[in-house]
Amino acid sequence: MPTINRKELTLEINALREAHPDHWQKACAIRVLTLDAVAAANSGHSGMPMGMADVATVLFGKHLKFDAANPDWPDRDRFVLSAGHGSMLLYSLLYLTDSPDMTLEQVKNFRQLGSITAGHPEYGHAKGIETTTGPLGQGIANSVGFAIAEEHLRATWGDDLVNHYTYVIAGDGCLMEGVSQEAIALAGQQQLSKLIVFWDDNGITIDGPVGIADRTDQQGRFAACGWHVQSIDGHDPDAIDRAIEQAKADGRPSMIACKTHIGLGSPAQDTSKAHGALTDAQLIADTRAVYGWEHGPFEIPGEIKAAWEEIGARGAAARADWESRLAAQEGDRRSDFERAQSGKLPGTLAGALADYRAKLIADKPKVATRKASEMALEIINPIVTETIGGSADLTGSNNTRTSEMSDFTANNRAGRYIRYGVREHGMAAAMNGLALHGGVRPYGGTFLCFTDYARPSMRLSALMGVPVVYVMTHDSIGLGEDGPTHQPVEHVAMLRATPNMLVFRPADVVETAEAWEIALEQTGTPSVLALSRQNLPTVRTDNGRENLTAKGAYILAEAEAKRQAILLATGSEVSLALEARDMLEAAGIGTRVVSVPCMELFEAQPEAYRKKVLPNSGVRVAIEAGVRQGWDRWLLGERARANKADFVGMTGFGASAPAEELYEHFGITAEATVAKVKALL
Amino acid sequence: MPTINRKELTLEINALREAHPDHWQKACAIRVLTLDAVAAANSGHSGMPMGMADVATVLFGKHLKFDAANPDWPDRDRFVLSAGHGSMLLYSLLYLTDSPDMTLEQVKNFRQLGSITAGHPEYGHAKGIETTTGPLGQGIANSVGFAIAEEHLRATWGDDLVNHYTYVIAGDGCLMEGVSQEAIALAGQQQLSKLIVFWDDNGITIDGPVGIADRTDQQGRFAACGWHVQSIDGHDPDAIDRAIEQAKADGRPSMIACKTHIGLGSPAQDTSKAHGALTDAQLIADTRAVYGWEHGPFEIPGEIKAAWEEIGARGAAARADWESRLAAQEGDRRSDFERAQSGKLPGTLAGALADYRAKLIADKPKVATRKASEMALEIINPIVTETIGGSADLTGSNNTRTSEMSDFTANNRAGRYIRYGVREHGMAAAMNGLALHGGVRPYGGTFLCFTDYARPSMRLSALMGVPVVYVMTHDSIGLGEDGPTHQPVEHVAMLRATPNMLVFRPADVVETAEAWEIALEQTGTPSVLALSRQNLPTVRTDNGRENLTAKGAYILAEAEAKRQAILLATGSEVSLALEARDMLEAAGIGTRVVSVPCMELFEAQPEAYRKKVLPNSGVRVAIEAGVRQGWDRWLLGERARANKADFVGMTGFGASAPAEELYEHFGITAEATVAKVKALL
């Protein structure tokens, strides 16, 4: 590793300061806030914000369309920090520009329990955090969804309402992850000209110089996917400004390779040490000295803060103009636009679906639930015109493209169907971006088994709470000849293990329509529809208009003889349970069949309802063409569960804080264990 | 889509036939076997084998080093069909060259229950199937592992024992999957010059022309990663031959873009219809007519079969020479080589580990289990010299690089440590390739949460039964400030849901060493070690030499007062359970603590042992910093499980056969359900 000579470093920094004194002060504010916050937390990543401060300062200062006081403005430019470990870059920018949520107190509480300044940016913690990043490659892949949403909404609503850029900062790690290739290729295919990616080309990863693991010519790689590429000195504000102008002028998505020094100005500059937390007091003092920064920790001089606040207010007039244009829309356009933005469904949907279900119960079609999904979408898509469908090259198998849909392409931005290609991961990440952008409701399909490929982004749908709908067909050995590589066995259990995710495995055409309705009603939870390849009979006979799938589980067929057994089943195995019931009843064994389309919704029912469906008597057998894991909870029964055994662990996602505090916070302690034992006794 | 004119087609095919009559006949045999097998199965993928038959014929005919009669020959060239849906290409080649497992009967039973000719090639079904493919991108990513293994073993044993190529056929789907980018970049970084990839550049995917989803300049993309690239007419045997020669001559990994016609010669040629099953009798008859092939279904004329068998025997002499060279090795080199090939551990390992554990129990160090893993590897790696470690850019966090290891690089092929870069998926897929190649034992690390990224390849480790060891550190909220994106909550449950996978969550330094020993002893099962970031006390006090982790669960601390409660825990929560036990005992509540380092191994114990550890009395609380799913099975207890409830579903992976037969085969039927209910009553 290169040894950094302090004298040379000072000279270099001085040259930067002298060439662009105002710029330097603003960028320096980001650098010292980062140093101070990481030092206070005694953990985090200092080097990236220190390296990319100049790019961020020019971007926010001269280009990013935003109004800090109104971070929800739908037509703001989106800024995605794909290299999420550099979270202090984003928190600094939000604080400096006076974004309402980001106080100095929050910055001081970086990485502490209850703060909004988590180790990695968490969507929902603060306005201005457009997406959760940290798992590498996700941000750049989300950004494709943001950019598609913008193109589609611009075509739909006109550029007086929608017309913005999506900017991304990605690091070497983001570009090494395979999902980045899926995203880059998809963006190139779709010619997303308003997507601009800054690659933090600092040559350093955690393990050392990038060269120990990669020799990719990134510019060549992006160019091969149809991108406009540039390479600049990432510390030269003029070069950064010019590059952004050129990127905007080009008709392709644009990648700007920014040569930067990780940990700029610190003794750890250009080393993998700088990737992590720089916490040594002397190192921080030396760095401040090199910067010529004489203010105390977390102290930003008034004039520098004022300059940043001016930047934060730069877009206020543009936003006000936009509000006027929205107000001036004719007819229902304003309310329609606002409804789509809000995620609320059109009022006519529920009735249309109830009518449709009544017809199904009368007609009793025997169709695969993947076909049933298409039939439901044929009702939904003309009403919910903000849906954006798609498939990872399995359109004919997933049945995701309804009759009125046309492909979204470079020449047809009004199209509502996306050909994602064989890119399950890129699809899921793009759908997160679409949902986060707002104004559209994404759904997309692949085979359930290939949930595996999409998994990192599906987890983020759940963690962020975005209502993406995953249409996962071919949901068991029922797919037949394609064999074990294509047959999900553990996948339904895996999805059920994930917090904040609704996993539906509908039994027939009726439950499929119900599941779609529930999935679309969600505003903070993604849904997975596990759908059969094979045809299934209509098992629902009750012709009430209630959505029974919303109960999670319900009595589909009651025992005729005295009830001795309860059969629980999902999806394609429900009709099989009914068959078994007939055989048991014939043998004098009264048997109830409970359909369980969604365990999470059943778990959320009042205890009284759960007990009614699953009383503590008789025997129970569950039937599902997947692994047993997850079923014991329902086989065991309420009483045994409540009275004789218990569990100490997690029920949702974690949080950013020191470990001991997290154990305490989530109640995973010896004391909690003792209390549970005592309660059981 | 282009309309194919039958007359033009015939003329085109005639030109091919006349230019290379012998070649044509051999390639045609692949094409008609494919047509016949797909027609018989009424499912499958006809077009790819028909398109790539010429490439395969030249590769097998003139280049591939193999001896069909001895498909296990360690120094054979490896042939990986990454585009696994074209499985009939491989089955045809194995049958035609007279590979022992692949009879004509098997080919006729394509995609049927119990046949070795599954819908997608399944490793273990037949010799000559080097890896399981079908999930796209996996084969090309495995091949990086095959090529690394070859380079490393050649450096270790000399090129008289190891010196072979790895050939891959990949399709557009493989190249769209993100994992292919990780593989391509890794191969370029490592300058794997004996890796040669044929890209089936047919311009067609399931949804239609590739152009609807991709416009990537694949040659440009490979070149950007340091590959040698060529583009040829994939139906011209001379061009194919020359391209392979040039690929071999170049010092870089090589990609040959083969322009082919999917479904060559059929009326569906060059359309997405040809991607799937061509089963129409008239279409097949027309295609045979265009080919000028006048033989019946599955009928290969003797002279064509003989020509293929000659190819199959082409490598017999080379293999015999190789055997002689192996026999002539001096000292222990032959037995050492054969031991490493067999996957057997050196006899000295068990004793060394037992001594090491005894010392730990005496010393009681308090270390993180990730550190404990490194300590165990410091014992293991000098003894088991075939281990190949690595990490996805988290070496210092995963503690996977032991003191005597050097990096495997283009200049140091003897190195045993791989810098995989930020490529968890590529790492897992490469490790599968390393393990499948034989002669090496791969392990690699990342954070447990990023199991998500590696998941498709981890599933294939389990499905294929290859003993890869996944070192997954930072295994809970115990990692602290990095926050929920980095904190596994559902991951241990997800891994436990996967069939044929040992999931270890060791409690201390002793259990970690035991888990490593068990993981290395496996020959047909991958292992995951879920390891803590934070320090944990040594909880094991028993100084016997038995590996207690091998029991899966065991009584770590017995109740002192009359036993009323059992606490079950894993990993970092075991010490917490011991603490709770102290508190309960102080309150007069006799409490047993059961450590559960591996549920799968506990499940495999005799019922009597399980009952001894978890008797049906008192209350139970499980403690794990993850979701409850999977624990109810142990909270419920043996009696309730056996007597009052049961489950009908899957316990392992599926199979390739018509769906109804699979349901029957796996016992997911109304009859089985009825039988279980009756047994419970």
Side-chain angles (χ1 to χ4, degrees):
Chain A
M1 268 178 224
T3 316
I4 305 291
N5 177 302
R6 176 128 176 242
K7 206 172 275 174
E8 281 173 22
L9 208 58
T10 308
L11 287 173
E12 200 181 311
I13 299 290
N14 282 349
L16 288 175
R17 280 172 67 181
E18 280 157 28
H20 307 276
D22 292 346
H23 166 85
W24 171 262
Q25 293 298 333
K26 289 199 289 273
C28 204
I30 296 172
R31 294 188 169 106
V32 292
L33 280 174
T34 298
L35 280 169
D36 293 342
V38 171
N42 200 31
S43 78
H45 299 80
S46 313
M48 186 282 217
M50 293 165 73
M52 286 299 280
D54 297 305
V55 169
T57 299
V58 175
L59 174 63
F60 274 62
K62 299 197 172 171
H63 293 274
L64 193 79
K65 181 173 78 171
F66 76 118
D67 174 10
N70 292 278
D72 282 337
W73 176 20
D75 198 35
R76 69 193 179 278
D77 285 347
R78 302 305 197 271
F79 172 65
V80 174
L81 186 70
S82 192
H85 53 278
S87 55
M88 269 310 302
L89 180 70
L90 180 54
Y91 303 151
S92 298
L93 289 162
L94 293 177
Y95 162 64
L96 289 166
T97 56
D98 219 21
S99 199
D101 296 340
M102 195 56 68
T103 63
L104 185 59
E105 205 51 35
Q106 291 288 355
V107 174
K108 288 181 177 172
N109 278 316
F110 181 50
R111 292 181 153 239
Q112 302 310 305
L113 193 61
S115 79
I116 62 174
T117 47
H120 296 82
E122 300 286 341
Y123 175 72
H125 278 206
K127 298 280 171 60
I129 300 175
E130 301 284 5
T131 180
T132 293
T133 52
L136 292 173
Q138 295 298 322
I140 188 172
N142 293 157
S143 74
V144 174
F146 280 106
I148 289 174
E150 194 274 342
E151 290 282 358
H152 176 73
L153 292 171
R154 182 150 40 88
T156 307
W157 297 99
D159 59 9
D160 52 341
L161 289 188
V162 184
N163 189 8
H164 70 78
Y165 285 88
T166 301
Y167 295 99
V168 181
I169 289 181
D172 292 294
C174 291
L175 300 191
M176 283 198 232
E177 292 287 2
V179 69
S180 71
Q181 179 64 26
E182 301 184 22
I184 294 164
L186 193 52
Q189 167 69 16
Q190 292 288 354
Q191 299 178 43
L192 301 173
S193 63
K194 305 193 87 168
L195 173 61
I196 299 175
V197 173
F198 303 93
W199 166 39
D200 180 14
D201 182 11
N202 60 33
I204 292 294
T205 67
I206 294 175
D207 270 12
V210 169
I212 69 171
D214 195 44
R215 62 178 72 202
T216 301
D217 164 13
Q218 295 292 0
Q219 277 120 295
R221 175 188 170 206
F222 276 78
C225 291
W227 286 56
H228 172 243
V229 293
Q230 303 174 72
S231 181
I232 59 165
D233 173 354
H235 299 299
D236 176 349
D238 293 337
I240 298 164
D241 186 31
R242 276 195 307 273
I244 297 174
E245 289 295 352
Q246 287 181 29
K248 286 175 166 177
D250 198 273
R252 294 165 288 179
S254 202
M255 189 277 263
I256 305 169
C258 306
K259 288 259 177 217
T260 64
H261 296 287
I262 194 168
L264 180 90
S266 80
Q269 179 181 311
D270 298 330
T271 71
S272 59
K273 183 186 171 189
H275 178 93
L278 300 177
T279 55
D280 178 75
Q282 189 59 50
L283 179 148
I284 292 171
D286 289 351
T287 308
R288 296 174 100 90
V290 167
Y291 289 168
W293 186 272
E294 293 168 352
H295 320 289
F298 296 108
E299 189 189 314
I300 306 295
E303 65 192 48
I304 300 178
K305 184 71 165 73
W308 269 113
E309 289 179 7
E310 203 175 300
I311 290 170
R314 187 167 48 76
R319 191 196 58 84
D321 289 351
W322 182 90
E323 296 283 1
S324 310
R325 293 197 298 275
L326 179 63
Q329 296 294 312
E330 291 177 6
D332 294 332
R333 276 176 60 86
R334 179 183 181 155
S335 59
D336 287 350
F337 180 86
E338 289 178 336
R339 184 197 57 72
Q341 286 289 325
S342 75
K344 284 204 189 77
L345 295 172
T348 52
L349 181 67
L353 284 175
D355 292 346
Y356 167 62
R357 289 203 305 270
K359 185 173 179 320
L360 293 174
I361 290 166
D363 292 353
K364 302 205 184 325
K366 182 173 180 174
V367 297
T369 48
R370 63 182 170 131
K371 178 70 185 166
S373 168
E374 185 183 17
M375 291 161 63
L377 284 169
E378 291 284 5
I379 306 293
I380 292 164
N381 281 341
I383 298 172
V384 189
T385 52
E386 60 267 31
T387 55
I388 299 243
S391 165
D393 195 43
L394 289 169
T395 297
S397 296
N398 301 145
N399 300 67
T400 35
R401 193 171 187 268
T402 53
S403 46
E404 90 285 11
M405 279 183 155
S406 65
D407 287 358
F408 174 86
T409 67
N411 300 319
N412 181 29
R413 296 307 200 193
R416 288 168 61 192
Y417 192 78
I418 300 176
R419 303 282 183 173
Y420 287 105
V422 189
R423 305 183 183 106
E424 301 82 7
H425 196 175
M427 174 175 73
M431 289 201 292
N432 282 341
L434 285 161
L436 288 162
H437 183 282
V440 292
R441 291 297 300 263
Y443 70 85
T446 183
F447 289 163
L448 180 60
C449 213
F450 302 143
T451 298
D452 284 352
Y453 281 80
R455 169 77 201 157
S457 299
M458 292 180 76
R459 180 176 209 250
L460 284 169
S461 303
L463 178 59
M464 291 192 277
V466 288
V468 172
V469 184
Y470 293 94
V471 182
M472 300 308 206
T473 70
H474 296 59
D475 72 346
S476 76
I477 52 168
L479 66 86
E481 292 91 340
D482 275 346
T485 56
H486 286 52
Q487 290 163 354
V489 169
E490 69 275 40
H491 298 80
V492 169
M494 287 169 51
L495 294 166
R496 286 178 185 145
T498 308
N500 194 39
M501 185 176 272
L502 295 181
V503 184
F504 295 95
R505 193 162 183 260
D508 67 1
V509 71
V510 180
E511 284 190 3
T512 304
E514 290 176 336
W516 260 113
E517 182 175 32
I518 299 161
L520 289 173
E521 282 167 354
Q522 303 306 309
T523 55
T525 303
S527 299
V528 178
L529 309 187
L531 303 171
S532 76
R533 173 177 186 252
Q534 70 274 35
N535 287 340
L536 303 176
T538 299
V539 294
R540 179 74 64 79
T541 49
D542 177 350
N543 62 2
R545 289 174 73 88
E546 190 184 359
N547 183 326
L548 293 178
T549 296
K551 299 273 192 193
Y554 63 93
I555 302 166
L556 178 66
E558 191 46 286
E560 286 170 28
K562 181 175 179 296
R563 193 186 67 242
Q564 298 182 65
I566 301 177
L567 302 180
L568 302 94
T570 74
S572 43
E573 285 70 69
V574 172
S575 53
L576 198 150
L578 290 170
E579 228 182 289
R581 173 180 170 276
D582 289 346
M583 294 159 68
L584 288 164
E585 293 279 354
I589 301 168
T591 303
R592 169 185 290 182
V593 171
V594 173
S595 180
V596 191
C598 182
M599 284 189 185
E600 297 79 21
L601 291 175
F602 187 50
E603 177 87 51
Q605 292 301 308
E607 193 184 348
Y609 176 76
R610 296 202 309 264
K611 275 190 175 164
K612 200 185 103 192
V613 175
L614 296 178
N616 262 315
S617 63
V619 303
R620 296 184 193 172
V621 172
I623 318 167
E624 185 172 73
V627 297
R628 178 174 176 138
Q629 187 178 296
W631 276 104
D632 290 289
R633 189 250 173 279
W634 305 111
L635 293 173
L636 175 55
E638 295 288 338
R639 204 178 57 87
R641 176 178 167 84
N643 293 351
K644 289 198 197 134
D646 211 335
F647 178 70
V648 174
M650 301 288 287
T651 54
F653 294 109
S656 170
E660 313 75 54
E661 290 183 43
L662 290 178
Y663 269 81
E664 197 70 40
H665 176 69
F666 288 109
I668 306 175
T669 61
E671 289 75 14
T673 307
V674 168
K676 292 214 171 188
V677 170
K678 288 187 173 170
L680 291 174
L681 290 168
Chain B
M1 269 179 224
T3 314
I4 305 292
N5 177 303
R6 176 126 176 244
K7 206 172 275 175
E8 282 174 21
L9 209 58
T10 309
L11 287 173
E12 200 181 312
I13 299 290
N14 283 347
L16 289 175
R17 280 173 66 181
E18 280 157 29
H20 307 276
D22 292 347
H23 166 85
W24 171 262
Q25 294 298 333
K26 289 200 289 275
C28 204
I30 296 172
R31 294 188 169 105
V32 292
L33 281 174
T34 298
L35 280 169
D36 293 342
V38 171
N42 199 31
S43 77
H45 298 80
S46 312
M48 186 282 217
M50 293 165 73
M52 285 299 281
D54 297 304
V55 169
T57 300
V58 175
L59 174 63
F60 274 62
K62 299 199 172 171
H63 292 275
L64 193 79
K65 181 172 78 171
F66 76 118
D67 175 9
N70 291 278
D72 282 336
W73 177 20
D75 198 36
R76 68 193 179 278
D77 286 346
R78 303 304 197 272
F79 173 64
V80 174
L81 187 69
S82 191
H85 53 278
S87 55
M88 269 310 301
L89 180 70
L90 180 54
Y91 303 152
S92 299
L93 289 161
L94 293 177
Y95 162 65
L96 289 167
T97 56
D98 220 21
S99 198
D101 297 340
M102 195 56 68
T103 63
L104 186 58
E105 204 52 36
Q106 291 287 355
V107 175
K108 288 180 177 173
N109 277 315
F110 181 50
R111 294 183 151 236
Q112 302 310 304
L113 194 61
S115 79
I116 62 174
T117 46
H120 296 83
E122 300 285 341
Y123 175 72
H125 278 207
K127 299 281 171 60
I129 300 176
E130 302 284 5
T131 180
T132 293
T133 51
L136 292 172
Q138 295 298 323
I140 189 172
N142 294 158
S143 74
V144 174
F146 280 105
I148 289 175
E150 194 273 343
E151 291 282 358
H152 175 73
L153 293 172
R154 182 150 40 87
T156 306
W157 297 100
D159 59 9
D160 53 342
L161 289 190
V162 184
N163 190 7
H164 70 78
Y165 286 88
T166 301
Y167 295 98
V168 181
I169 290 181
D172 292 294
C174 291
L175 299 191
M176 283 199 231
E177 292 287 2
V179 69
S180 71
Q181 179 63 26
E182 301 184 20
I184 293 163
L186 193 52
Q189 166 70 14
Q190 291 289 355
Q191 298 177 43
L192 301 173
S193 63
K194 304 193 88 170
L195 173 60
I196 298 174
V197 173
F198 303 93
W199 166 38
D200 180 14
D201 182 11
N202 61 31
I204 292 295
T205 68
I206 295 175
D207 270 11
V210 170
I212 69 170
D214 196 44
R215 62 177 72 202
T216 301
D217 163 13
Q218 295 292 1
Q219 279 120 295
R221 175 188 169 206
F222 276 79
C225 292
W227 285 56
H228 172 243
V229 293
Q230 303 173 73
S231 182
I232 60 165
D233 173 354
H235 299 298
D236 176 348
D238 294 337
I240 298 164
D241 186 32
R242 277 195 307 273
I244 298 174
E245 289 296 353
Q246 287 182 29
K248 285 176 165 175
D250 198 274
R252 294 164 288 178
S254 203
M255 188 276 263
I256 305 169
C258 306
K259 289 258 176 217
T260 63
H261 296 287
I262 194 167
L264 180 89
S266 79
Q269 179 182 311
D270 299 329
T271 70
S272 59
K273 183 186 171 190
H275 178 94
L278 301 177
T279 55
D280 178 76
Q282 189 58 50
L283 179 148
I284 292 171
D286 289 350
T287 309
R288 296 174 101 90
V290 168
Y291 289 168
W293 187 271
E294 293 168 353
H295 320 289
F298 297 108
E299 189 188 315
I300 306 296
E303 64 192 50
I304 299 177
K305 184 72 165 71
W308 269 113
E309 289 179 6
E310 202 175 302
I311 289 170
R314 187 167 47 77
R319 191 196 57 84
D321 289 350
W322 182 89
E323 296 283 0
S324 312
R325 292 197 298 275
L326 179 63
Q329 296 294 312
E330 292 178 5
D332 295 333
R333 275 176 59 87
R334 179 182 180 155
S335 60
D336 287 350
F337 180 86
E338 290 179 335
R339 184 196 58 72
Q341 286 289 326
S342 74
K344 285 203 189 77
L345 295 172
T348 52
L349 181 68
L353 284 175
D355 293 346
Y356 167 64
R357 289 202 305 270
K359 185 172 179 321
L360 293 174
I361 290 166
D363 293 353
K364 302 204 184 325
K366 182 172 180 173
V367 297
T369 48
R370 63 181 169 131
K371 178 70 186 168
S373 169
E374 184 183 17
M375 290 161 64
L377 283 170
E378 290 285 5
I379 306 293
I380 291 164
N381 281 340
I383 298 172
V384 190
T385 52
E386 60 268 28
T387 55
I388 298 240
S391 166
D393 196 42
L394 289 168
T395 297
S397 296
N398 301 145
N399 300 68
T400 36
R401 192 172 188 267
T402 54
S403 46
E404 90 285 9
M405 280 183 155
S406 65
D407 287 358
F408 175 87
T409 67
N411 300 318
N412 181 30
R413 296 308 200 193
R416 289 167 61 192
Y417 192 78
I418 300 175
R419 303 282 183 173
Y420 286 106
V422 189
R423 304 184 183 106
E424 302 81 8
H425 197 176
M427 174 175 75
M431 289 201 292
N432 282 341
L434 284 160
L436 288 162
H437 183 282
V440 291
R441 293 296 301 262
Y443 70 84
T446 183
F447 289 162
L448 179 60
C449 213
F450 301 142
T451 299
D452 284 352
Y453 281 81
R455 169 78 201 156
S457 299
M458 293 180 76
R459 181 177 207 250
L460 284 169
S461 303
L463 179 57
M464 291 192 277
V466 289
V468 171
V469 184
Y470 293 94
V471 182
M472 299 307 207
T473 70
H474 296 60
D475 72 346
S476 75
I477 51 167
L479 66 86
E481 292 89 340
D482 274 347
T485 56
H486 286 51
Q487 291 163 355
V489 169
E490 68 275 39
H491 299 79
V492 170
M494 287 169 50
L495 293 166
R496 286 179 185 143
T498 308
N500 194 39
M501 186 176 271
L502 296 180
V503 184
F504 296 96
R505 192 161 184 261
D508 68 1
V509 72
V510 180
E511 284 190 2
T512 305
E514 290 176 338
W516 260 113
E517 183 175 31
I518 300 162
L520 289 173
E521 281 167 354
Q522 302 306 309
T523 55
T525 303
S527 299
V528 178
L529 310 187
L531 304 171
S532 76
R533 171 175 185 254
Q534 70 273 36
N535 287 339
L536 303 176
T538 299
V539 294
R540 180 74 64 77
T541 49
D542 176 349
N543 62 2
R545 288 174 73 88
E546 190 185 359
N547 183 326
L548 294 178
T549 297
K551 299 274 190 191
Y554 62 93
I555 302 167
L556 178 65
E558 191 46 286
E560 287 171 29
K562 180 175 180 299
R563 193 186 68 241
Q564 297 182 65
I566 301 177
L567 301 181
L568 302 94
T570 74
S572 43
E573 287 69 70
V574 172
S575 54
L576 198 151
L578 290 170
E579 227 182 292
R581 173 181 170 276
D582 289 345
M583 293 159 70
L584 288 163
E585 292 279 355
I589 301 168
T591 303
R592 170 185 289 183
V593 171
V594 173
S595 180
V596 192
C598 181
M599 284 189 185
E600 297 79 22
L601 291 174
F602 188 50
E603 179 87 51
Q605 293 301 308
E607 192 184 349
Y609 176 77
R610 295 202 310 262
K611 276 189 175 164
K612 201 186 101 192
V613 174
L614 296 178
N616 262 316
S617 62
V619 302
R620 296 182 193 173
V621 173
I623 317 167
E624 186 171 73
V627 296
R628 178 173 176 140
Q629 189 175 300
W631 276 102
D632 289 290
R633 190 250 173 278
W634 305 111
L635 293 173
L636 174 55
E638 296 287 338
R639 203 178 58 86
R641 176 179 166 84
N643 292 351
K644 289 198 197 135
D646 211 335
F647 178 71
V648 174
M650 301 287 287
T651 56
F653 294 109
S656 169
E660 314 75 54
E661 291 183 42
L662 290 178
Y663 269 82
E664 199 69 40
H665 177 69
F666 289 108
I668 306 176
T669 62
E671 289 74 14
T673 307
V674 168
K676 292 212 171 191
V677 169
K678 287 186 172 168
L680 291 174
L681 291 168

